[in-house]
C-alpha cells in the first residue's frame, strides 16, 4: 500500500454508478454513528486508489421482515448479533479523485475520477496524510485557508488558480464572509500573484474593526502588512477617528462623473430610464468636463425646462434628473473641481505593486455613494488596464500586474438587469483577458446574474438558508445536488463550503482562525524560499519589523 498509514477500515463497496457514487456496506465492527456526512474516505480498487466523500448514510437489512417485526430488543446479545449481519449500515460515497501512485520522489497530484471502484473494494476512513496529499501543503503557491471538519490536515488554495478567474464569497449575515475575505486577501498578498483593490464598504479591511457583537477588534491588512498596503479614504474624519493611517484622501470632481455612472444609480436614486439617459444629452451639449457643474448650477424650473427643449429631452425627466443629482451634492467627497484624479493615484500605487484599500467611512452606509465611487473608479482603472494590455500585446511595455477588485453587496452591481451594461459585468465576462478579475462578496447570491455566477472560478460559501440562494451558488457545479444538504447544514459561523478551480474537490472547512495574536503571527510569516517583494529590506528584517509593529 502506498502512503503507509491509513484510517480505520469501514467496509466494502456493494453497489454504485459513476453518476451517483458508490454504496459501501459498513463492516460489522463499524456503527453508522461513527461515520459522518462530509467525511473523507479512500477506496482501494484493483488499479487505483480512490478518494471520496461521504454524502449519505442509511440503514439496510437483508430481511424485509425486520422492519415489520423487529426482534425483541431486551436481550442485548440478540441486538449485537443482528447488527452488522442481518441489519447493517451503508454509506454513500462520491469517489471524486484518483490518488497518485507514489513513484519515487515525483510529486503528482490527484486527478478527477472518471471511473468507480469495483465490487467489494475495501473502504477506509481517509488518514490525515491522504487528506494532506489531496488538499496540499502550505507553500508559496498554496495558502492554508482552513481545515476539514474534525481533521488536523490543512486545506490549501492554489493561489495561481484562485486569481485567474473571479472569486465569490457568499453567506448570510454574520457567518464569516468578512473574515474569510481577509484571509483570502492575505493569501493573495503573500503569494504575490496579483494586486488587490478593495472597495471597503464597512471600513474593515484596511484598518480592522470590531466584530459584529462589538467584543473583539480584528486587525486589518494595513496593520499586518503596513509596507505593502496603501489606504485611501473617502471620509477623512472617520479614518482619523478610528486611528487609521491613511495615505491619501479621495476627492471626485464633477467632471469625472460620466453619464454611465448616473445610469448605474437609477435604482438607488429611484429614477426612470428616460431621466437617467438625459445625462447623455447634457454631456453632448456641455462636454464631459462641464455637463454636471453647468447643470447643477442652473436655477429655477423655467431654466431647466428651457434647457430640456434645447436638448430635446422631456422636461419632467430632466427635472427629475436635476432633483436626483442635487442629492449628490451632500457627499463631501464630491467637489466641483478636483485637481488630482483619484483613479490615477490609485493606479500609481497598484503599479508599484501595492495593494489598495479604499475606506468609505460614513459613506459606506449610503449605497448610492458606494456604487457611484466603486463604478466610477473601476471603470477608469479597467480602462487603463485595457490600454496597457493592448500596448503590451503590440510590443510596448509589460503586461499590467493582475488585479483583483473586491466589492461588497455584489448583487447591486451585478443584477440581471444591469450586469450586461456595467463595468463589473464586463470584467466578469471577459475573464482575465485584461488581467482584471473580481472578488464579489454577497449575502444574496440569487440576486446576481446567472451568467456572472457561472464565470466565478472559485466559490466559498458560508451558511445560506434561502433555497434560491443555495441554488444560485451551486448552479453549474458537478455534484451540486449532493452539496445542497452540506451547505444547508453548515454551522452558523466560521465554516464554509469551498469549491472550484483553486482546489481539487469541494470541501467543507472550519475557516482558519483570524483575530488572535498567534493567528496574526502565522499570517505575516512568509512561506519558505520566497523572494523579498520589493524595497531594500530583507524578508527577515521586514518580518521582524512587522511583528514588532503588531504587538
Ligand atoms: N475565521 C474566523 N476566525 C475567527 N472568528 C471568526 C472567523 N469567521 C467568523 N468569525 C466570527 O464570526 C463573526 C461574523 O463574521 P463576519 O463579520 O466575517 O460575518 P459576515 O458574513 O461578514 O457578516 P455581515 O454580512 O454582517 O458582514 C465574527 O465577528 C467572528 O466573531
Ligand atoms: Mg461582512
Amino acid at each position: 500500500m502506498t502512503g503507509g498509514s491509513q484510517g480505520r477500515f469501514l467496509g466494502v463497496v456493494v453497489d454504485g454508478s459513476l453518476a451517483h457514487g458508490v454504496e459501501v456496506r459498513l463492516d460489522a465492527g463499524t456503527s453508522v454513528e461513527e461515520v459522518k456526512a462530509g467525511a473523507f474516505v479512500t477506496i482501494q480498487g484493483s488499479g487505483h486508489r480512490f478518494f471520496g466523500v461521504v454524502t449519505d448514510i442509511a440503514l439496510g437489512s437483508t430481511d424485509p421482515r425486520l422492519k415489520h417485526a423487529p426482534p425483541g430488543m431486551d436481550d442485548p446479545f440478540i441486538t449485537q448479533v443482528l447488527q452488522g449481519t442481518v441489519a447493517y449500515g451503508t454509506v454513500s460515497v462520491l469517489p471524486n479523485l484518483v490518488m497518485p501512485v507514489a513513484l519515487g520522489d515525483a510529486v503528482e497530484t490527484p486527478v478527477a475520477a472518471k471511473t468507480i471502484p469495483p465490487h467489494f473494494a475495501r473502504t477506509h476512513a481517509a488518514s490525515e496524510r491522504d487528506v494532506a496529499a489531496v488538499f496540499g501543503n502550505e507553500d508559496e503557491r498554496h495558502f492554508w485557508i482552513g481545515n476539514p471538519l474534525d481533521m488536523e490536515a490543512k486545506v490549501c488554495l492554489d493561489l495561481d488558480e484562485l486569481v485567474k478567474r473571479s472569486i465569490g464569497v457568499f453567506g448570510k449575515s454574520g457567518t464569516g464572509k468578512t473574515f474569510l475575505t481577509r484571509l483570502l486577501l492575505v493569501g493573495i498578498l503573500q503569494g504575490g500573484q496579483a494586486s488587490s483593490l478593495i472597495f471597503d464598504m464597512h471600513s474593515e479591511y484596511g484598518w480592522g474593526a470590531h466584530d459584529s457583537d462589538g467584543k473583539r477588534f480584528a486587525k486589518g491588512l494595513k496593520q499586518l502588512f503596513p509596507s505593502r498596503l496603501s489606504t485611501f479614504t473617502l471620509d477623512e474624519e472617520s479614518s482619523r477617528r478610528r486611528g487609521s493611517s491613511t495615505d491619501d484622501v479621495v476627492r471626485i470632481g464633477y467632471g469625472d462623473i460620466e453619464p454611465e455612472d448616473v445610469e448605474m444609480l437609477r435604482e438607488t436614486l429611484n429614477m426612470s430610464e428616460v431621466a437617467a439617459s438625459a445625462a447623455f444629452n447634457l454631456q453632448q451639449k456641455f462636454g464631459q468636463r462641464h455637463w454636471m457643474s453647468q447643470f447643477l448650477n442652473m436655477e429655477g424650473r423655467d431654466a431647466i425646462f428651457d434647457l430640456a427643449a434645447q436638448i430635446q429631452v422631456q422636461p419632467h425627466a430632466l427635472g427629475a434628473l436635476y432633483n436626483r443629482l442635487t442629492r449628490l451634492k451632500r457627499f463631501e467627497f464630491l467637489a466641483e473641481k478636483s485637481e488630482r484624479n483619484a483613479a490615477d493615484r490609485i493606479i500609481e500605487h497598484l503599479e508599484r505593486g501595492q495593494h489598495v484599500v479604499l475606506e468609505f467611512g460614513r459613506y459606506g452606509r449610503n449605497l448610492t455613494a458606494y456604487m457611484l465611487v466603486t463604478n466610477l473608479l473601476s471603470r477608469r482603472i479597467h480602462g487603463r488596464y485595457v490600454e496597457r494590455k493592448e500596448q503590451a500585446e503590440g510590443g510596448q511595455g509589460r503586461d499590467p500586474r493582475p488585479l483583483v477588485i473586491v466589492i461588497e453587496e455584489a448583487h447591486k452591481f451585478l443584477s440581471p438587469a444591469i450586469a450586461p451594461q456595467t463595468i463589473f459585468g464586463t470584467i466578469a465576462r471577459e475573464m482575465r483577458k485584461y488581467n482584471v478579475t473580481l472578488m464579489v462578496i454577497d449575502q444574496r447570491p440569487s440576486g446576481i446574474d446567472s451568467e456572472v455566477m457561472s464565470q466565478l472560478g472559485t466559490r466559498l460559501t458560508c451558511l445560506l438558508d434561502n433555497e434560491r440562494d443555495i441554488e444560485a451558488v451551486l448552479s453549474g457545479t458537478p455534484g451540486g445536488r449532493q452539496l445542497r444538504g452540506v451547505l444547508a447544514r453548515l454551522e452558523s459561523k466560521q465554516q464554509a463550503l469551498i469549491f472550484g478551480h483553486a482546489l481539487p474537490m469541494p470541501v467543507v472547512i472550519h475557516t482558519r482562525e483570524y483575530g488572535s495574536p498567534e493567528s496574526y503571527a502565522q499570517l505575516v510569516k512568509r512561506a519558505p524560499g520566497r523572494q523579498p517583494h520589493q524595497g531594500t529590506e530583507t524578508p527577515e528584517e521586514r518580518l521582524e519589523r512587522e511583528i514588532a509593529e503588531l504587538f
Side-chain angles (χ1 to χ4, degrees):
M1 177 109 311
T2 58
S5 61
Q6 56 181 356
R8 62 171 296 183
F9 177 63
L10 297 177
V12 297
V13 172
V14 291
D15 198 3
S17 72
L18 185 60
H20 299 112
V22 299
E23 199 177 310
V24 173
R25 179 174 164 157
L26 289 182
D27 180 57
T30 307
S31 154
V32 279
E33 292 179 28
E34 292 168 45
V35 185
K36 283 191 192 166
F40 293 117
V41 299
T42 57
I43 306 177
Q44 183 62 51
S46 37
H48 300 297
R49 193 151 160 267
F50 294 82
F51 185 92
V53 61
V54 172
T55 56
D56 199 9
I57 301 160
L59 297 173
S61 74
T62 52
D63 187 341
R65 284 174 306 179
L66 208 63
K67 204 148 99 185
H68 306 293
M73 286 293 133
D74 299 342
D75 185 345
F77 179 68
I78 298 190
T79 322
Q80 214 175 7
V81 169
L82 292 178
Q83 269 173 3
T85 55
V86 182
Y88 53 85
T90 66
V91 297
S92 306
V93 173
L94 214 51
N96 305 66
L97 302 172
V98 171
M99 300 289 272
V101 184
L103 290 172
D105 293 334
V107 184
E108 286 184 59
T109 45
V111 294
K114 295 200 172 62
T115 180
I116 54 171
H119 270 109
F120 316 125
R122 292 171 63 82
T123 305
H124 288 85
S127 66
E128 294 281 346
R129 194 166 163 167
D130 293 324
V131 175
V134 169
F135 293 107
N137 287 312
E138 221 179 344
D139 59 24
E140 51 193 283
R141 184 173 158 179
H142 295 92
F143 179 73
W144 167 34
I145 187 76
N147 306 70
L149 305 187
D150 302 326
M151 297 202 89
E152 273 160 29
K154 292 174 176 174
V155 172
C156 298
L157 294 175
D158 181 330
L159 294 166
D160 286 3
E161 290 299 323
L162 182 73
V163 302
K164 265 188 203 163
R165 308 257 313 253
S166 291
I167 304 162
V169 179
F170 305 110
K172 59 181 204 164
S173 184
T175 51
K177 295 184 295 300
T178 297
F179 276 63
L180 197 51
T181 304
R182 286 193 184 112
L183 287 166
L184 290 173
L185 291 169
V186 170
I188 295 172
L189 197 145
Q190 288 280 42
Q193 283 81 0
S195 289
S196 51
L197 167 59
I198 302 149
F199 290 104
D200 191 359
M201 187 175 205
H202 305 296
S203 306
E204 51 195 357
Y205 295 105
W207 200 254
H210 283 280
D211 66 9
S212 20
D213 26 22
K215 286 195 201 118
R216 234 172 32 162
F217 182 86
K219 285 181 192 287
L221 302 177
K222 180 76 175 177
Q223 285 148 301
L224 299 185
F225 304 98
S227 57
R228 289 151 74 182
L229 202 90
S230 305
T231 28
F232 285 66
T233 183
L234 272 188
D235 182 351
E236 215 177 345
E237 231 174 271
S238 145
S239 295
R240 203 178 314 125
R241 208 172 38 242
R242 292 168 38 250
S244 163
S245 74
T246 45
D247 298 296
D248 216 333
V249 178
V250 168
R251 291 277 171 269
I252 289 170
Y254 284 179
D256 293 327
I257 298 180
E258 293 177 16
E260 286 86 353
D261 296 315
V262 175
E263 254 191 336
M264 286 316 95
L265 301 178
R266 260 189 44 189
E267 200 183 318
T268 62
L269 288 178
N270 188 18
M271 185 167 37
S272 74
E273 214 167 301
V274 188
S277 66
F280 287 96
N281 302 53
L282 290 167
Q283 184 199 37
Q284 223 167 26
K285 168 134 181 88
F286 298 114
Q288 171 52 41
R289 299 304 302 169
H290 305 291
W291 74 269
M292 183 134 156
S293 51
Q294 294 263 9
F295 185 46
L296 290 185
N297 282 332
M298 297 185 80
E299 265 166 38
R301 209 176 122 106
D302 292 345
I304 291 170
F305 279 18
D306 278 352
L307 176 64
Q310 280 177 43
I311 60 174
Q312 294 175 342
V313 173
Q314 231 182 355
H316 288 287
L318 195 63
L321 179 64
Y322 182 84
N323 170 298
R324 301 302 194 282
L325 291 185
T326 304
R327 289 191 209 161
L328 304 184
K329 280 186 171 172
R330 62 179 177 196
F331 296 153
E332 280 168 25
F333 59 83
L334 280 186
E336 220 176 311
K337 283 213 178 61
S338 160
E339 304 82 52
R340 299 168 68 204
N341 185 303
D344 287 345
R345 281 179 293 129
I346 290 177
I347 292 169
E348 272 167 36
H349 283 254
L350 292 174
E351 283 179 347
R352 270 189 263 141
Q354 292 290 100
H355 297 256
V356 174
V357 172
L358 174 56
E359 294 190 336
F360 276 72
R362 67 179 186 277
Y363 299 113
R365 292 189 294 272
N366 185 311
L367 198 59
T368 302
Y370 186 68
M371 289 186 67
L372 172 67
V373 173
T374 300
N375 264 308
L376 185 147
L377 293 177
S378 300
R379 242 207 355 268
R380 303 294 184 288
I381 291 167
H382 176 258
R384 186 69 61 85
Y385 266 71
V386 171
E387 242 172 61
R388 284 280 150 84
K389 181 84 187 186
E390 285 172 352
Q391 283 171 352
E393 277 165 3
Q396 289 174 290
R398 274 187 306 159
D399 258 11
R401 181 176 156 82
L403 173 67
V404 180
I405 298 182
V406 184
I407 53 170
E408 300 248 9
E409 297 284 342
H411 68 273
K412 298 282 181 195
F413 297 89
L414 292 164
S415 68
I418 65 170
Q421 300 123 45
T422 69
I423 181 61
F424 295 107
T426 307
I427 295 174
R429 273 192 313 275
E430 68 194 15
M431 304 212 249
R432 51 162 190 159
K433 193 164 154 207
Y434 299 109
N435 289 14
V436 183
T437 54
L438 297 178
M439 188 187 298
V440 297
I441 306 167
D442 206 309
Q443 40 180 304
R444 258 204 56 211
S446 61
I448 297 179
D449 185 37
S450 58
E451 203 203 319
V452 171
M453 285 298 287
S454 72
Q455 306 291 0
L456 301 177
T458 303
R459 299 178 215 184
L460 304 95
T461 175
C462 304
L463 178 68
L464 282 170
D465 50 15
N466 176 297
E467 278 299 309
R468 292 181 46 223
D469 288 329
I470 293 179
E471 194 159 316
V473 167
L474 297 176
S475 62
T477 308
R481 202 168 44 88
Q482 280 94 342
L483 295 175
R484 281 187 85 91
V486 176
L487 180 46
R489 274 197 289 269
L490 290 179
E491 271 174 26
S492 63
K493 271 191 174 60
Q494 213 177 339
Q495 277 192 2
L497 168 67
I498 61 182
F499 56 97
H501 294 241
L503 66 174
M505 62 179 271
V507 55
V508 172
I509 57 163
H510 176 75
T511 310
R512 178 172 175 178
E513 166 77 16
Y514 183 102
S516 62
E518 305 79 59
S519 72
Y520 298 139
Q522 275 180 340
L523 285 165
V524 298
K525 228 188 277 175
R526 55 191 43 243
R530 188 172 302 132
Q531 293 306 306
H533 174 71
Q534 59 175 17
T536 49
E537 250 176 329
T538 66
E540 290 72 22
E541 282 165 356
R542 174 158 40 215
L543 178 61
E544 239 168 82
R545 180 174 53 74
E546 286 180 346
I547 291 181
E549 280 163 358
L550 273 180
F551 307 110

